[in-house]
């Protein structure tokens, strides 16, 4: 199981996500960092475990504002720099191609930001492209053609269940099971609702390859000992 910490960026700071209701997101308060500064929070997370990958949701870019370029540059410059899976509302070929040209970035193509499946079809064979299938409380957000044609999916697919983020409700196992069946031999990563070690082990039993996690790391539910054991599976 690959456990990937989440950094939601807004206004240059890490914010705490709550059920996908982005208007309610506020700067994070965590025992792992004295401030919501992105690098400070990332370093705090690395005090729990030697995380090699971070998922970044650039909420300003996703909501149509200027992206968090300075914070992202500082994360890229960290010692022993991690892979950065970045959702920055990539929606045109030039911006996506530029991100793919940077070896430190694994661009996440969020379904909510797509008008159609053209970008996915064009870039799907790139080994660092990641698809995020985005589900809000009311259901899937994105083009039906992107969801209904798994033959065009890249090798890594995130199932983003935003209504469960920060809700303590557990992963949506039924949805994950269905999408895993559609994905075939692709890697499927769960996002939203992971509460504890039991949830992680249940995801493994469902054939899920990774999990995006935030709250259970900051509140200490997932301990360094558990993280080390889970990473060995």
């Amino acid at each position: 199981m690959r456990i990937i910490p989440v950094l939601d960026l807004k206004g240059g700071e890490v914010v705490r996500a709550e059920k996908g209701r982005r208007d309610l997101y506020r700067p994070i308060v965590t025992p792992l960092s004295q401030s919501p500064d992105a690098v400070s929070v990332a370093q705090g997370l690395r005090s729990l475990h030697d995380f090699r990958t971070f998922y970044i949701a650039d909420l300003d870019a996703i909501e149509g504002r200027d992206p968090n370029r300075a914070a992202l540059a500082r994360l890229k410059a960290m010692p022993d720099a991690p892979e950065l899976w970045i959702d920055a509302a990539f929606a045109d070929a030039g911006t996506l191609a530029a991100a793919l040209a940077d070896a430190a970035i694994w661009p996440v193509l969020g379904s909510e930001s797509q008008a159609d499946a053209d970008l996915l079809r064009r870039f799907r064979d790139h080994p660092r492209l990641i698809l995020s299938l985005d589900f809000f409380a009311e259901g899937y957000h994105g083009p039906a053609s992107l969801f209904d044609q798994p033959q065009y999916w890249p090798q890594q697919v995130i199932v983003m269940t935003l209504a469960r983020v920060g809700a303590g409700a557990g992963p949506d196992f039924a949805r994950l099971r269905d999408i895993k069946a559609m994905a075939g031999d692709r890697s499927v990563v769960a996002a939203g609702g992971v509460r504890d070690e039991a949830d992680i082990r249940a995801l493994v039993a469902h054939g899920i390859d990774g999990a995006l996690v935030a709250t259970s790391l900051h509140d200490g539910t997932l301990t360094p000992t558990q993280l080390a054991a889970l990473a060995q599976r």
Side-chain angles (χ1 to χ4, degrees):
M1 171 58 66
R2 190 175 188 183
I3 299 173
I4 301 171
V6 173
L7 301 174
D8 290 299
L9 294 183
K10 188 174 184 179
E13 297 179 326
V14 179
V15 295
R16 184 177 287 275
E18 185 176 340
K19 302 179 184 179
R21 298 179 60 186
R22 292 168 180 155
D23 58 316
L24 300 179
Y25 292 10
R26 297 293 182 268
I28 195 167
V29 176
T30 170
L32 302 179
S33 173
Q34 293 184 349
S35 80
D37 173 76
V39 171
S40 179
V41 175
Q43 290 172 334
L45 288 163
R46 275 187 161 179
S47 72
L48 301 176
H49 183 73
D50 184 25
F51 292 112
R52 308 306 309 146
T53 303
F54 286 87
Y55 171 91
I56 314 295
D58 187 336
L59 298 173
D60 290 307
I62 291 170
E63 296 184 333
R65 297 183 293 274
D66 290 338
N68 286 273
R69 295 187 183 92
L72 293 172
R74 292 178 59 238
L75 288 167
K76 286 168 55 178
M78 287 176 62
D80 200 12
E83 292 179 1
L84 298 179
W85 291 15
I86 300 176
D87 184 346
F90 300 107
D92 66 84
T95 304
L96 180 57
L100 288 168
D102 187 335
I105 295 177
W106 295 60
V108 176
L109 204 63
S111 65
E112 69 166 305
S113 301
Q114 306 309 303
D116 50 43
D118 288 352
L119 272 185
L120 179 64
R121 293 191 183 109
R122 179 172 174 180
F123 291 95
R124 65 189 176 96
D125 291 328
H126 196 290
R128 283 190 285 109
L129 183 69
I130 301 168
L131 172 64
S132 179
L133 298 172
D134 300 328
F135 296 86
F136 288 73
E138 64 274 20
Y140 169 70
H141 277 211
S145 58
L146 192 152
F147 181 80
D148 294 340
Q149 300 182 56
Q151 68 269 28
Y152 295 121
W153 294 356
Q155 284 304 305
Q156 297 198 81
V157 179
I158 297 170
V159 182
M160 179 67 68
T161 309
L162 285 155
R164 298 190 178 224
V165 171
D172 189 335
F173 289 107
R175 176 173 288 146
L176 287 162
R177 182 175 60 249
D178 291 344
I179 293 178
K180 178 64 178 177
M182 295 170 65
D185 63 355
R186 296 170 179 83
S187 295
V188 174
V189 177
V194 175
R195 297 166 295 190
D196 51 27
E197 181 182 8
D199 280 344
I200 296 289
R201 295 192 183 279
L203 290 170
V204 172
H206 280 74
I208 304 303
D209 301 284
L212 304 186
V213 180
T215 301
S216 56
L217 297 174
H218 292 289
D219 67 13
T221 305
L222 282 173
T223 68
T225 300
Q226 290 172 330
L227 291 165
L230 291 166
Q232 294 174 0
R233 290 180 65 87

